[in-house]
Coordinates of all heavy atoms in Angstrom, one line a residue:
M1 N 10.5 8.8 -55.0 CA 10.1 9.2 -53.7 C 10.2 8.1 -52.7 O 10.5 8.3 -51.5 CB 8.7 9.8 -53.8 CG 8.4 10.6 -52.6 SD 6.8 11.4 -52.5 CE 6.8 12.3 -54.1
G2 N 10.0 6.9 -53.2 CA 10.1 5.7 -52.3 C 11.4 5.6 -51.6 O 11.5 5.0 -50.6
G3 N 12.5 6.1 -52.3 CA 13.8 6.0 -51.7 C 14.0 6.8 -50.5 O 15.0 6.6 -49.7
L4 N 13.1 7.7 -50.2 CA 13.2 8.6 -49.0 C 12.5 8.0 -47.8 O 12.6 8.5 -46.7 CB 12.7 10.0 -49.3 CG 13.5 10.8 -50.3 CD1 12.8 12.1 -50.6 CD2 14.9 11.1 -49.7
L5 N 11.8 6.9 -48.0 CA 11.0 6.3 -46.9 C 11.9 5.8 -45.8 O 11.6 6.0 -44.6 CB 10.1 5.2 -47.4 CG 9.0 5.6 -48.4 CD1 8.1 4.4 -48.7 CD2 8.2 6.8 -48.0
P6 N 13.1 5.2 -46.1 CA 14.0 4.9 -45.0 C 14.5 6.1 -44.2 O 14.7 6.0 -43.0 CB 15.2 4.2 -45.7 CG 14.6 3.7 -46.9 CD 13.6 4.7 -47.3
V7 N 14.6 7.2 -44.8 CA 14.9 8.5 -44.1 C 13.8 8.8 -43.1 O 14.1 9.2 -42.0 CB 15.2 9.6 -45.1 CG1 15.5 10.9 -44.3 CG2 16.4 9.3 -46.0
L8 N 12.6 8.8 -43.6 CA 11.4 9.1 -42.7 C 11.4 8.1 -41.6 O 11.1 8.4 -40.4 CB 10.1 9.1 -43.5 CG 10.0 10.2 -44.6 CD1 8.7 10.0 -45.4 CD2 10.0 11.5 -43.9
D9 N 11.7 6.8 -41.8 CA 11.7 5.8 -40.8 C 12.8 6.1 -39.7 O 12.5 6.0 -38.5 CB 12.0 4.4 -41.4 CG 10.8 3.8 -42.2 OD1 9.7 4.3 -42.1 OD2 11.1 2.9 -43.0
A10 N 13.9 6.5 -40.2 CA 15.0 6.9 -39.3 C 14.6 8.0 -38.4 O 14.9 8.1 -37.2 CB 16.3 7.1 -40.0
I11 N 14.0 9.0 -39.0 CA 13.5 10.2 -38.2 C 12.5 9.7 -37.2 O 12.5 10.1 -36.0 CB 12.9 11.3 -39.1 CG1 14.0 11.9 -39.9 CG2 12.2 12.3 -38.3 CD1 13.6 12.8 -41.1
D12 N 11.5 8.9 -37.6 CA 10.5 8.4 -36.6 C 11.2 7.6 -35.5 O 10.8 7.8 -34.3 CB 9.5 7.4 -37.3 CG 8.5 8.2 -38.1 OD1 8.3 9.4 -37.9 OD2 7.9 7.6 -39.0
Q13 N 12.2 6.8 -35.8 CA 12.9 6.0 -34.7 C 13.6 7.0 -33.8 O 13.6 6.8 -32.6 CB 13.9 5.0 -35.3 CG 13.2 3.9 -36.0 CD 14.2 3.0 -36.7 OE1 15.4 3.3 -36.8 NE2 13.7 1.8 -37.2
A14 N 14.2 8.0 -34.3 CA 14.9 9.0 -33.4 C 13.9 9.7 -32.5 O 14.2 9.9 -31.3 CB 15.7 10.0 -34.3
R15 N 12.7 10.0 -33.1 CA 11.7 10.6 -32.2 C 11.2 9.7 -31.1 O 11.0 10.1 -30.0 CB 10.5 11.0 -33.1 CG 10.7 12.2 -33.9 CD 9.5 12.5 -34.8 NE 9.7 13.7 -35.6 CZ 9.3 13.9 -36.8 NH1 8.6 12.9 -37.4 NH2 9.5 15.0 -37.5
E16 N 11.1 8.4 -31.4 CA 10.7 7.4 -30.4 C 11.7 7.3 -29.3 O 11.3 7.1 -28.2 CB 10.5 6.1 -31.1 CG 9.2 6.0 -31.9 CD 9.1 4.6 -32.6 OE1 9.7 3.7 -32.2 OE2 8.3 4.5 -33.5
H17 N 13.0 7.5 -29.6 CA 14.0 7.3 -28.6 C 14.4 8.7 -28.0 O 15.2 8.7 -27.1 CB 15.3 6.8 -29.3 CG 15.1 5.3 -29.7 ND1 14.7 4.3 -28.9 CD2 15.3 4.8 -31.0 CE1 14.6 3.2 -29.6 NE2 14.9 3.5 -30.8
G18 N 13.7 9.7 -28.4 CA 13.9 11.0 -27.8 C 15.2 11.7 -28.2 O 15.7 12.5 -27.4
T19 N 15.8 11.3 -29.3 CA 17.1 11.8 -29.6 C 17.1 12.8 -30.7 O 18.1 13.0 -31.5 CB 18.1 10.6 -30.1 OG1 17.4 9.9 -31.2 CG2 18.3 9.7 -28.9
V20 N 16.0 13.5 -30.9 CA 15.9 14.5 -32.0 C 16.3 15.9 -31.4 O 15.5 16.5 -30.6 CB 14.5 14.5 -32.6 CG1 14.4 15.6 -33.7 CG2 14.1 13.2 -33.1
D21 N 17.4 16.4 -31.8 CA 17.8 17.7 -31.4 C 17.1 18.8 -32.2 O 16.5 18.4 -33.3 CB 19.3 17.9 -31.3 CG 20.0 17.8 -32.7 OD1 19.3 18.1 -33.7 OD2 21.1 17.3 -32.8
P22 N 17.2 20.0 -31.9 CA 16.5 21.1 -32.6 C 16.9 21.1 -34.1 O 16.1 21.4 -35.0 CB 16.9 22.4 -31.9 CG 17.2 21.9 -30.5 CD 17.8 20.6 -30.6
G23 N 18.2 20.9 -34.4 CA 18.6 20.9 -35.8 C 18.0 19.8 -36.6 O 17.5 20.1 -37.7
L24 N 18.0 18.6 -36.1 CA 17.3 17.5 -36.8 C 15.8 17.7 -36.9 O 15.2 17.4 -37.9 CB 17.7 16.1 -36.2 CG 17.0 14.9 -36.8 CD1 17.4 14.8 -38.3 CD2 17.4 13.7 -36.0
R25 N 15.3 18.2 -35.9 CA 13.8 18.5 -35.9 C 13.5 19.5 -37.0 O 12.5 19.3 -37.7 CB 13.4 19.1 -34.5 CG 11.9 19.2 -34.3 CD 11.5 19.6 -32.9 NE 12.1 18.8 -31.9 CZ 12.9 19.2 -30.9 NH1 13.2 20.5 -30.8 NH2 13.4 18.4 -30.0
A26 N 14.3 20.5 -37.2 CA 14.0 21.5 -38.3 C 14.2 20.8 -39.7 O 13.4 21.1 -40.6 CB 15.0 22.7 -38.2
V27 N 15.2 20.0 -39.8 CA 15.4 19.3 -41.1 C 14.2 18.4 -41.4 O 13.7 18.3 -42.5 CB 16.7 18.5 -41.1 CG1 16.8 17.6 -42.3 CG2 17.9 19.5 -41.1
A28 N 13.8 17.6 -40.4 CA 12.7 16.7 -40.5 C 11.4 17.5 -40.9 O 10.7 17.0 -41.8 CB 12.5 15.9 -39.2
A29 N 11.2 18.6 -40.3 CA 10.0 19.4 -40.6 C 10.0 19.8 -42.1 O 9.0 19.7 -42.8 CB 9.8 20.6 -39.7
V30 N 11.1 20.3 -42.5 CA 11.2 20.8 -43.9 C 11.0 19.6 -44.9 O 10.3 19.7 -45.9 CB 12.5 21.5 -44.2 CG1 12.7 21.8 -45.7 CG2 12.6 22.8 -43.4
L31 N 11.7 18.5 -44.6 CA 11.6 17.3 -45.4 C 10.1 16.8 -45.5 O 9.6 16.6 -46.6 CB 12.5 16.2 -44.9 CG 12.4 14.8 -45.7 CD1 12.8 15.0 -47.1 CD2 13.2 13.8 -44.9
E32 N 9.5 16.7 -44.4 CA 8.1 16.2 -44.3 C 7.1 17.2 -45.1 O 6.2 16.8 -45.8 CB 7.6 16.0 -42.9 CG 8.4 14.8 -42.3 CD 8.2 14.7 -40.8 OE1 7.9 15.7 -40.1 OE2 8.5 13.6 -40.2
T33 N 7.4 18.5 -44.9 CA 6.5 19.5 -45.6 C 6.7 19.4 -47.1 O 5.7 19.4 -47.8 CB 6.9 20.9 -45.1 OG1 6.6 21.0 -43.7 CG2 6.1 22.0 -45.8
Q34 N 7.9 19.3 -47.5 CA 8.2 19.2 -49.0 C 7.6 17.9 -49.6 O 7.1 17.9 -50.7 CB 9.7 19.3 -49.3 CG 10.3 20.7 -49.0 CD 9.5 21.8 -49.7 OE1 9.3 21.7 -50.9 NE2 9.1 22.8 -49.0
L35 N 7.8 16.8 -48.9 CA 7.2 15.5 -49.4 C 5.7 15.6 -49.4 O 5.1 15.1 -50.4 CB 7.7 14.4 -48.6 CG 9.2 14.0 -48.7 CD1 9.6 12.9 -47.7 CD2 9.5 13.6 -50.1
A36 N 5.1 16.2 -48.5 CA 3.6 16.4 -48.5 C 3.2 17.3 -49.6 O 2.2 17.0 -50.3 CB 3.1 17.0 -47.1
T37 N 4.0 18.3 -49.9 CA 3.7 19.2 -51.1 C 3.7 18.4 -52.4 O 3.0 18.7 -53.3 CB 4.7 20.3 -51.2 OG1 4.6 21.1 -49.9 CG2 4.5 21.3 -52.3
L38 N 4.6 17.4 -52.5 CA 4.7 16.5 -53.6 C 3.6 15.4 -53.6 O 3.5 14.6 -54.6 CB 6.0 15.9 -53.7 CG 7.2 16.8 -53.9 CD1 8.5 16.1 -53.8 CD2 7.1 17.5 -55.3
G39 N 2.8 15.4 -52.6 CA 1.6 14.5 -52.6 C 1.8 13.2 -51.7 O 1.0 12.4 -51.7
L40 N 2.9 13.2 -50.9 CA 3.1 12.0 -50.1 C 2.2 12.1 -48.9 O 2.1 13.1 -48.2 CB 4.6 12.0 -49.6 CG 5.0 10.7 -48.8 CD1 5.0 9.5 -49.7 CD2 6.3 10.9 -48.1
Q41 N 1.5 11.0 -48.6 CA 0.5 10.9 -47.5 C 0.8 9.6 -46.7 O 1.1 8.6 -47.3 CB -0.9 10.9 -48.0 CG -1.3 12.1 -48.7 CD -2.8 12.0 -49.2 OE1 -3.2 10.9 -49.6 NE2 -3.5 13.1 -49.2
E42 N 0.8 9.8 -45.4 CA 1.0 8.6 -44.5 C -0.3 7.8 -44.5 O -1.4 8.2 -44.6 CB 1.3 9.1 -43.1 CG 1.9 8.1 -42.2 CD 2.4 8.6 -40.9 OE1 3.4 9.4 -41.0 OE2 1.9 8.3 -39.9
V43 N 0.0 6.5 -44.4 CA -1.1 5.5 -44.4 C -1.0 4.7 -43.1 O 0.1 4.3 -42.7 CB -1.0 4.5 -45.6 CG1 -2.0 3.4 -45.5 CG2 -1.1 5.2 -46.9
G44 N -2.2 4.5 -42.4 CA -2.2 3.7 -41.2 C -2.3 4.5 -40.0 O -1.4 5.4 -39.7
A45 N -3.3 4.3 -39.2 CA -3.5 5.0 -37.9 C -4.3 4.0 -37.0 O -5.1 3.3 -37.4 CB -4.3 6.3 -38.1
P46 N -3.9 4.0 -35.7 CA -4.7 3.2 -34.8 C -6.2 3.6 -34.8 O -6.5 4.7 -34.9 CB -4.1 3.6 -33.4 CG -2.7 4.1 -33.7 CD -2.8 4.8 -35.1
G47 N -7.0 2.5 -34.8 CA -8.4 2.7 -34.9 C -9.0 2.6 -36.2 O -10.2 2.4 -36.4
E48 N -8.2 2.6 -37.3 CA -8.7 2.4 -38.6 C -9.2 0.9 -38.8 O -8.5 0.0 -38.3 CB -7.6 2.6 -39.7 CG -7.3 4.0 -39.9 CD -6.2 4.2 -41.0 OE1 -5.6 3.2 -41.5 OE2 -6.0 5.3 -41.4
P49 N -10.2 0.7 -39.6 CA -10.6 -0.7 -40.0 C -9.4 -1.3 -40.8 O -8.8 -0.6 -41.6 CB -11.8 -0.5 -40.8 CG -12.4 0.8 -40.5 CD -11.2 1.7 -40.1
F50 N -9.1 -2.5 -40.5 CA -8.0 -3.2 -41.3 C -8.4 -3.3 -42.7 O -9.5 -3.8 -43.0 CB -7.7 -4.6 -40.6 CG -6.7 -5.4 -41.4 CD1 -5.4 -5.0 -41.5 CD2 -7.1 -6.5 -42.1 CE1 -4.5 -5.7 -42.2 CE2 -6.2 -7.2 -42.8 CZ -4.9 -6.8 -42.9
D51 N -7.5 -2.9 -43.6 CA -7.7 -3.0 -45.0 C -6.5 -3.7 -45.6 O -5.4 -3.0 -45.7 CB -8.0 -1.6 -45.6 CG -8.1 -1.6 -47.1 OD1 -7.9 -2.7 -47.8 OD2 -8.5 -0.6 -47.7
P52 N -6.6 -4.9 -46.1 CA -5.4 -5.6 -46.6 C -4.7 -4.9 -47.8 O -3.6 -5.3 -48.2 CB -5.8 -7.0 -46.9 CG -7.3 -6.9 -47.0 CD -7.7 -5.8 -46.1
T53 N -5.4 -4.0 -48.5 CA -4.9 -3.3 -49.6 C -4.0 -2.1 -49.2 O -3.3 -1.6 -50.0 CB -5.9 -2.8 -50.6 OG1 -6.8 -1.8 -49.9 CG2 -6.8 -3.9 -51.1
R54 N -4.1 -1.7 -47.9 CA -3.3 -0.6 -47.4 C -2.5 -1.0 -46.1 O -1.6 -0.2 -45.7 CB -4.2 0.6 -47.0 CG -5.0 1.1 -48.2 CD -5.9 2.3 -47.8 NE -6.6 2.1 -46.6 CZ -6.7 3.0 -45.6 NH1 -6.0 4.1 -45.7 NH2 -7.4 2.7 -44.6
H55 N -2.8 -2.1 -45.5 CA -2.2 -2.5 -44.3 C -1.6 -3.9 -44.4 O -2.2 -4.8 -45.0 CB -3.2 -2.5 -43.1 CG -3.9 -1.3 -42.9 ND1 -5.3 -1.2 -43.1 CD2 -3.5 0.0 -42.6 CE1 -5.7 0.1 -42.8 NE2 -4.6 0.8 -42.5
E56 N -0.4 -4.1 -43.8 CA 0.2 -5.4 -43.7 C 0.1 -5.8 -42.2 O 0.8 -5.2 -41.3 CB 1.7 -5.3 -44.1 CG 2.4 -6.6 -44.0 CD 3.9 -6.5 -44.3 OE1 4.3 -5.5 -44.8 OE2 4.6 -7.5 -44.1
A57 N -0.7 -6.9 -41.9 CA -0.8 -7.3 -40.5 C 0.4 -8.1 -40.2 O 0.8 -9.1 -40.8 CB -2.1 -8.2 -40.4
I58 N 1.1 -7.7 -39.1 CA 2.3 -8.5 -38.7 C 2.0 -9.2 -37.4 O 2.8 -10.1 -37.0 CB 3.6 -7.6 -38.5 CG1 3.4 -6.4 -37.5 CG2 3.9 -7.0 -39.9 CD1 4.7 -5.7 -37.2
S59 N 0.8 -8.9 -36.8 CA 0.4 -9.7 -35.6 C -1.1 -9.5 -35.5 O -1.7 -8.5 -35.9 CB 1.1 -9.3 -34.3 OG 0.8 -8.0 -33.9
Y60 N -1.7 -10.5 -34.8 CA -3.2 -10.4 -34.6 C -3.4 -10.7 -33.1 O -2.6 -11.4 -32.4 CB -3.9 -11.5 -35.3 CG -4.1 -11.3 -36.8 CD1 -3.1 -11.7 -37.7 CD2 -5.2 -10.6 -37.3 CE1 -3.3 -11.5 -39.1 CE2 -5.3 -10.3 -38.6 CZ -4.4 -10.8 -39.5 OH -4.5 -10.5 -40.9
E61 N -4.5 -10.1 -32.6 CA -4.9 -10.4 -31.2 C -6.4 -10.3 -31.2 O -7.1 -9.7 -32.1 CB -4.3 -9.4 -30.2 CG -4.6 -7.9 -30.5 CD -3.7 -7.0 -29.7 OE1 -2.7 -7.4 -29.3 OE2 -4.1 -5.8 -29.6
R62 N -7.0 -10.9 -30.2 CA -8.5 -10.8 -29.9 C -8.8 -9.7 -28.9 O -8.0 -9.5 -28.0 CB -9.0 -12.2 -29.4 CG -8.7 -13.3 -30.3 CD -9.7 -13.4 -31.4 NE -9.3 -14.5 -32.3 CZ -9.4 -14.5 -33.6 NH1 -10.0 -13.5 -34.1 NH2 -9.1 -15.6 -34.3
S63 N -9.9 -9.1 -29.1 CA -10.3 -8.0 -28.2 C -11.8 -7.8 -28.2 O -12.4 -7.8 -29.2 CB -9.6 -6.7 -28.7 OG -10.1 -5.6 -27.9
D64 N -12.3 -7.6 -27.0 CA -13.7 -7.4 -26.8 C -14.0 -5.9 -27.2 O -15.2 -5.5 -27.2 CB -14.1 -7.6 -25.3 CG -14.0 -9.1 -25.0 OD1 -14.3 -9.9 -25.9 OD2 -13.7 -9.4 -23.8
E65 N -13.0 -5.1 -27.4 CA -13.2 -3.7 -27.7 C -13.4 -3.3 -29.1 O -13.6 -2.1 -29.4 CB -12.1 -2.9 -27.1 CG -12.0 -3.1 -25.6 CD -10.9 -2.2 -24.9 OE1 -10.4 -1.3 -25.6 OE2 -10.5 -2.6 -23.8
V66 N -13.4 -4.3 -30.0 CA -13.6 -4.0 -31.4 C -14.7 -4.9 -32.0 O -15.0 -6.0 -31.4 CB -12.3 -4.2 -32.3 CG1 -11.2 -3.3 -31.8 CG2 -11.8 -5.7 -32.2
D67 N -15.4 -4.4 -33.0 CA -16.5 -5.2 -33.6 C -16.1 -5.6 -35.0 O -16.9 -6.3 -35.7 CB -17.8 -4.4 -33.6 CG -17.7 -3.1 -34.3 OD1 -16.7 -2.8 -34.9 OD2 -18.8 -2.4 -34.4
Q68 N -14.9 -5.3 -35.5 CA -14.4 -5.7 -36.8 C -12.9 -5.7 -36.7 O -12.4 -5.1 -35.8 CB -14.9 -4.7 -37.9 CG -14.4 -3.3 -37.7 CD -14.9 -2.4 -38.9 OE1 -15.4 -2.8 -39.9 NE2 -14.7 -1.1 -38.7
P69 N -12.2 -6.3 -37.7 CA -10.8 -6.2 -37.6 C -10.3 -4.8 -37.7 O -10.7 -4.0 -38.6 CB -10.4 -7.0 -38.9 CG -11.5 -8.0 -39.1 CD -12.7 -7.2 -38.7
T70 N -9.5 -4.4 -36.7 CA -9.1 -3.0 -36.6 C -7.6 -2.9 -36.3 O -7.1 -3.7 -35.6 CB -9.9 -2.4 -35.4 OG1 -11.3 -2.5 -35.6 CG2 -9.6 -0.9 -35.2
C71 N -7.0 -1.9 -36.9 CA -5.6 -1.6 -36.7 C -5.5 -1.0 -35.3 O -6.1 0.0 -35.0 CB -5.0 -0.6 -37.7 SG -5.1 -1.2 -39.4
T72 N -4.7 -1.6 -34.4 CA -4.6 -1.1 -33.0 C -3.2 -0.5 -32.8 O -3.1 0.4 -31.9 CB -4.9 -2.2 -32.0 OG1 -4.2 -3.4 -32.3 CG2 -6.4 -2.5 -32.0
T73 N -2.2 -1.0 -33.4 CA -0.8 -0.5 -33.3 C -0.2 -0.4 -34.7 O -0.3 -1.3 -35.5 CB 0.0 -1.4 -32.4 OG1 -0.6 -1.6 -31.2 CG2 1.4 -0.8 -32.2
V74 N 0.4 0.8 -34.9 CA 1.1 0.9 -36.2 C 2.6 0.8 -35.9 O 3.2 1.6 -35.1 CB 0.8 2.3 -36.8 CG1 1.7 2.5 -38.1 CG2 -0.7 2.5 -37.2
H75 N 3.2 -0.2 -36.4 CA 4.6 -0.5 -36.2 C 5.5 0.3 -37.1 O 6.6 0.6 -36.8 CB 4.9 -2.0 -36.3 CG 4.1 -2.8 -35.3 ND1 4.5 -3.0 -34.0 CD2 3.0 -3.5 -35.5 CE1 3.6 -3.7 -33.4 NE2 2.6 -4.0 -34.2
R76 N 5.0 0.4 -38.3 CA 5.7 1.2 -39.3 C 4.7 1.8 -40.3 O 3.9 1.1 -40.8 CB 6.7 0.3 -40.2 CG 7.6 1.1 -41.1 CD 8.4 0.2 -41.9 NE 7.6 -0.4 -43.0 CZ 8.1 -1.2 -43.9 NH1 9.4 -1.5 -43.9 NH2 7.3 -1.7 -44.8
P77 N 4.7 3.2 -40.4 CA 3.6 3.8 -41.3 C 3.8 3.4 -42.7 O 5.0 3.1 -43.2 CB 3.8 5.3 -41.0 CG 5.2 5.4 -40.5 CD 5.6 4.1 -39.8
G78 N 2.8 3.4 -43.4 CA 2.8 3.2 -44.9 C 2.7 4.6 -45.5 O 2.4 5.6 -44.9
Y79 N 2.9 4.6 -46.8 CA 2.9 5.9 -47.6 C 2.2 5.6 -48.9 O 2.4 4.6 -49.5 CB 4.3 6.5 -47.7 CG 4.9 6.9 -46.4 CD1 5.7 6.1 -45.7 CD2 4.6 8.1 -45.9 CE1 6.3 6.5 -44.5 CE2 5.1 8.5 -44.7 CZ 6.0 7.7 -44.0 OH 6.5 8.1 -42.8
R80 N 1.6 6.7 -49.4 CA 1.0 6.7 -50.8 C 1.2 8.0 -51.4 O 1.3 9.0 -50.7 CB -0.4 6.2 -50.7 CG -1.4 7.2 -50.1 CD -2.8 6.7 -50.1 NE -3.7 7.6 -49.3 CZ -4.5 8.4 -49.9 NH1 -4.7 8.4 -51.2 NH2 -5.3 9.2 -49.2
V81 N 1.1 8.0 -52.7 CA 1.1 9.3 -53.5 C -0.1 9.1 -54.4 O -0.2 8.2 -55.2 CB 2.4 9.5 -54.3 CG1 2.2 10.7 -55.2 CG2 3.6 9.6 -53.4
G82 N -1.1 10.0 -54.1 CA -2.4 9.8 -54.9 C -3.0 8.5 -54.5 O -3.1 8.1 -53.4
H83 N -3.3 7.7 -55.6 CA -3.8 6.4 -55.4 C -2.8 5.3 -55.4 O -3.1 4.1 -55.3 CB -4.9 6.1 -56.5 CG -6.1 7.0 -56.4 ND1 -7.0 6.9 -55.3 CD2 -6.5 8.0 -57.1 CE1 -7.9 7.8 -55.5 NE2 -7.7 8.5 -56.6
H84 N -1.5 5.7 -55.6 CA -0.4 4.7 -55.7 C 0.2 4.5 -54.3 O 0.7 5.4 -53.7 CB 0.6 5.2 -56.6 CG 1.8 4.3 -56.8 ND1 1.7 3.1 -57.5 CD2 3.1 4.4 -56.3 CE1 2.9 2.5 -57.4 NE2 3.7 3.3 -56.7
L85 N 0.0 3.2 -53.8 CA 0.6 2.8 -52.5 C 2.1 2.5 -52.7 O 2.5 1.7 -53.5 CB -0.1 1.6 -52.0 CG 0.3 1.1 -50.6 CD1 -0.2 2.2 -49.6 CD2 -0.4 -0.2 -50.3
L86 N 2.9 3.3 -52.0 CA 4.4 3.1 -52.0 C 4.8 1.9 -51.1 O 5.7 1.2 -51.4 CB 5.1 4.3 -51.7 CG 4.9 5.5 -52.6 CD1 5.6 6.8 -52.0 CD2 5.4 5.3 -54.0
R87 N 4.1 1.9 -49.9 CA 4.4 0.9 -48.9 C 3.2 0.8 -48.0 O 2.7 1.8 -47.5 CB 5.6 1.3 -48.2 CG 6.0 0.4 -47.1 CD 7.3 0.8 -46.4 NE 7.0 1.8 -45.3 CZ 7.9 2.5 -44.7 NH1 9.2 2.3 -45.0 NH2 7.6 3.3 -43.8
P88 N 2.7 -0.5 -47.7 CA 1.6 -0.6 -46.8 C 2.1 -0.4 -45.3 O 3.3 -0.5 -45.0 CB 1.2 -2.1 -46.9 CG 2.4 -2.8 -47.4 CD 3.2 -1.8 -48.2
A89 N 1.2 0.0 -44.5 CA 1.5 0.2 -43.1 C 1.6 -1.2 -42.4 O 0.8 -2.1 -42.7 CB 0.4 1.0 -42.4
Q90 N 2.6 -1.4 -41.6 CA 2.7 -2.6 -40.8 C 2.0 -2.4 -39.5 O 2.3 -1.5 -38.7 CB 4.2 -3.0 -40.5 CG 4.9 -3.4 -41.8 CD 6.3 -3.9 -41.5 OE1 6.9 -3.5 -40.5 NE2 6.8 -4.7 -42.4
V91 N 1.0 -3.3 -39.2 CA 0.1 -3.0 -38.1 C -0.2 -4.3 -37.3 O 0.0 -5.4 -37.8 CB -1.3 -2.5 -38.6 CG1 -1.1 -1.1 -39.2 CG2 -2.0 -3.4 -39.5
T92 N -0.6 -4.1 -36.0 CA -1.2 -5.2 -35.2 C -2.7 -5.0 -35.4 O -3.2 -3.9 -35.4 CB -0.9 -5.0 -33.8 OG1 0.5 -5.3 -33.6 CG2 -1.7 -6.0 -32.9
V93 N -3.4 -6.1 -35.7 CA -4.8 -6.1 -35.9 C -5.5 -6.8 -34.8 O -5.1 -7.9 -34.4 CB -5.2 -6.8 -37.2 CG1 -6.7 -6.9 -37.5 CG2 -4.5 -6.2 -38.4
S94 N -6.5 -6.1 -34.2 CA -7.4 -6.7 -33.2 C -8.7 -7.1 -33.9 O -9.2 -6.4 -34.7 CB -7.7 -5.7 -32.1 OG -6.5 -5.4 -31.3
E95 N -9.1 -8.3 -33.5 CA -10.3 -8.9 -34.0 C -11.3 -9.2 -32.9 O -10.8 -9.5 -31.8 CB -10.1 -10.1 -34.8 CG -9.2 -9.9 -36.0 CD -8.9 -11.2 -36.8 OE1 -8.7 -12.3 -36.1 OE2 -9.0 -11.2 -38.0
P96 N -12.6 -9.1 -33.2 CA -13.5 -9.5 -32.1 C -13.4 -11.0 -31.8 O -13.0 -11.8 -32.7 CB -14.9 -9.2 -32.7 CG -14.7 -8.8 -34.1 CD -13.2 -8.7 -34.4
P97 N -13.7 -11.4 -30.6 CA -13.5 -12.8 -30.2 C -14.3 -13.8 -31.1 O -13.8 -14.9 -31.4 CB -14.1 -12.9 -28.8 CG -13.9 -11.5 -28.3 CD -14.1 -10.6 -29.5
D98 N -15.4 -13.4 -31.6 CA -16.2 -14.3 -32.5 C -15.7 -14.4 -33.9 O -16.2 -15.2 -34.7 CB -17.7 -14.0 -32.5 CG -17.9 -12.6 -33.1 OD1 -17.0 -11.8 -33.3 OD2 -19.1 -12.4 -33.5
Q99 N -14.7 -13.6 -34.3 CA -14.1 -13.6 -35.6 C -13.6 -15.0 -36.0 O -13.8 -15.4 -37.1 CB -13.0 -12.6 -35.7 CG -12.5 -12.3 -37.2 CD -13.5 -11.4 -37.9 OE1 -14.3 -10.7 -37.3 NE2 -13.5 -11.4 -39.2
E100 N -13.0 -15.7 -35.1 CA -12.5 -17.0 -35.4 C -13.6 -18.0 -35.8 O -13.4 -18.9 -36.6 CB -11.7 -17.5 -34.1 CG -10.9 -18.8 -34.4 CD -10.1 -19.1 -33.1 OE1 -10.6 -19.7 -32.2 OE2 -8.9 -18.6 -33.1
E101 N -14.7 -17.9 -35.2 CA -15.8 -18.8 -35.4 C -16.4 -18.7 -36.8 O -16.9 -19.6 -37.4 CB -17.0 -18.6 -34.4 CG -16.5 -18.9 -33.0 CD -17.5 -18.4 -32.0 OE1 -18.7 -18.0 -32.4 OE2 -17.2 -18.4 -30.8
R102 N -16.2 -17.5 -37.4 CA -16.7 -17.2 -38.8 C -15.8 -17.9 -39.8 O -16.3 -18.1 -40.9 CB -16.8 -15.7 -39.1 CG -17.8 -15.0 -38.2 CD -17.8 -13.6 -38.6 NE -18.4 -12.8 -37.5 CZ -18.2 -11.6 -37.3 NH1 -17.4 -10.8 -38.1 NH2 -18.8 -10.9 -36.2
G103 N -14.5 -18.1 -39.5 CA -13.6 -18.6 -40.5 C -13.8 -20.0 -40.8 O -13.8 -20.7 -41.6

């Protein structure tokens, strides 16, 4: 199932660029539905607490708007099947300003 993750990435990129025509949209919907039926679940959403077992931090920033390390941007979603992580989500993590003082 992990071999299909680049296909999902390509569909996401097409959506971001607004180049998804009705035919591709239909194929993508069927693919995503069938993979979900097999147990594939997306990992990573903005606002989730950062968890290094499910998220790969590719950048950090300080923010007064969070009180713990929090995923603020998902650059590439992660996926899991059951408890098996196929790929971590690549995220930007925001940390409270005082986080640096604790380290």
Side-chain angles (χ1 to χ4, degrees):
M1 194 173 313
L4 292 174
L5 299 185
V7 175
L8 295 175
D9 291 340
I11 291 169
D12 284 343
Q13 288 175 353
R15 286 178 177 143
E16 286 177 17
H17 295 302
T19 58
V20 180
D21 64 28
L24 179 57
R25 190 174 305 122
V27 171
V30 171
L31 176 64
E32 291 165 343
T33 299
Q34 291 304 311
L35 290 174
T37 300
L38 295 172
L40 185 71
Q41 296 178 323
E42 195 169 296
V43 174
E48 285 182 350
F50 175 69
D51 178 352
T53 65
R54 298 182 314 130
H55 305 116
E56 176 185 354
I58 61 171
S59 66
Y60 285 92
E61 58 191 21
R62 302 280 176 213
S63 174
D64 292 329
E65 298 182 19
V66 298
D67 59 0
Q68 64 179 346
T70 304
C71 300
T72 51
T73 304
V74 177
H75 301 279
R76 186 181 78 175
Y79 293 96
R80 67 184 175 105
V81 175
H83 295 291
H84 180 71
L85 185 67
L86 298 175
R87 178 177 84 188
Q90 290 183 336
V91 299
T92 294
V93 178
S94 290
E95 297 178 319
D98 67 338
Q99 192 76 19
E100 190 172 86
E101 297 168 10
R102 294 180 199 161

